[in-house]
Amino acid sequence: MARKYRLEPEGEGLYRVIAARDFKTSRGQSPEVKEGDRGGLVSGPYNLSQRGRCWIEEGAKVIDQAKVLKDGLVMENATVSGQAVVTDLSWVAGSAQVQDNAQIQEGGAVLDQAIVRDGATVRSAGIVGGQAVVEHRAKVEDGAMVGDKTQVGGNAVISGKETVVTGDRYIIKGITKTETA
């Protein structure tokens, strides 16, 4: 299989991703990537897989040992760092940050100015947006949405398609499960 992208030095130890061939990303509203299109910044070739439909759009960064795999997408001014992983039709957009050992998978999304860090997981179409912070092994999953300035931590699990947690400084820590049927 032909390589999907190449890297060009950008300075400060970072490289610009440049599309080496045409391909489609995983997001329907995202335009097809054309050969020569500029992508985002990476620390090295290990940050973005050559396989699948994953991509880092111009303006976004994936640095340190973080990875974008399969059909993951990092867009706009988002940053993925540490040993975080974005994979499986998941996406990070806006000025969102995914840090440390966080996992965004199975269609999860992190948007706006949200932060997901420290082993937290967003998966199964879970969405974190606004200025929310999800951290310390917490999970947002199964279509649940967390937004505004909500903080979710500890071993909390926010789950279920009808579950929407928003508020000004609403804090959830160390609970087992918040779910609606």
Side-chain angles (χ1 to χ4, degrees):
M1 180 195 324
R3 296 181 75 75
K4 154 167 87 175
Y5 70 88
R6 60 185 165 77
L7 299 178
E8 289 184 356
E10 187 76 16
E12 297 184 30
L14 297 177
Y15 298 88
R16 172 77 54 195
V17 176
I18 307 291
R21 61 178 170 85
D22 296 353
F23 65 96
K24 292 183 179 181
T25 66
S26 58
R27 301 282 305 161
Q29 71 262 33
S30 184
E32 183 175 327
V33 176
K34 301 284 187 192
E35 182 178 349
D37 282 356
R38 291 168 49 93
L41 297 174
V42 297
S43 295
Y46 44 83
N47 296 123
L48 178 63
S49 176
Q50 291 280 359
R51 297 176 184 236
R53 297 183 299 167
C54 55
W55 185 242
I56 303 166
E57 290 187 351
E58 189 171 16
K61 289 182 188 177
V62 178
I63 56 175
D64 305 324
Q65 299 299 311
K67 294 182 179 171
V68 180
L69 307 170
K70 297 181 182 175
D71 294 324
L73 185 59
V74 183
M75 306 184 301
E76 298 166 352
N77 295 306
T79 301
V80 180
S81 63
Q83 293 182 330
V85 176
V86 178
T87 187
D88 304 329
L89 295 171
S90 297
W91 50 291
V92 182
S95 297
Q97 297 179 42
V98 177
Q99 306 168 338
D100 308 321
N101 294 314
Q103 302 280 315
I104 314 302
Q105 55 194 10
E106 300 167 10
V110 183
L111 316 167
D112 306 320
Q113 296 173 329
I115 299 171
V116 178
R117 63 183 174 211
D118 194 25
T121 302
V122 179
R123 68 181 194 91
S124 301
I127 299 172
V128 179
Q131 294 177 336
V133 176
V134 178
E135 59 189 350
H136 308 305
R137 297 172 316 282
K139 294 179 182 172
V140 177
E141 59 188 20
D142 297 328
M145 294 188 293
V146 174
D148 290 340
K149 295 181 180 177
T150 303
Q151 295 180 5
V152 180
N155 291 316
V157 178
I158 310 299
S159 180
K161 290 180 182 166
E162 302 298 320
T163 305
V164 178
V165 180
T166 61
D168 188 17
R169 303 256 183 237
Y170 188 61
I171 299 173
I172 301 171
K173 287 194 176 192
I175 62 172
T176 307
K177 197 154 195 149
T178 297
E179 180 173 15
T180 58

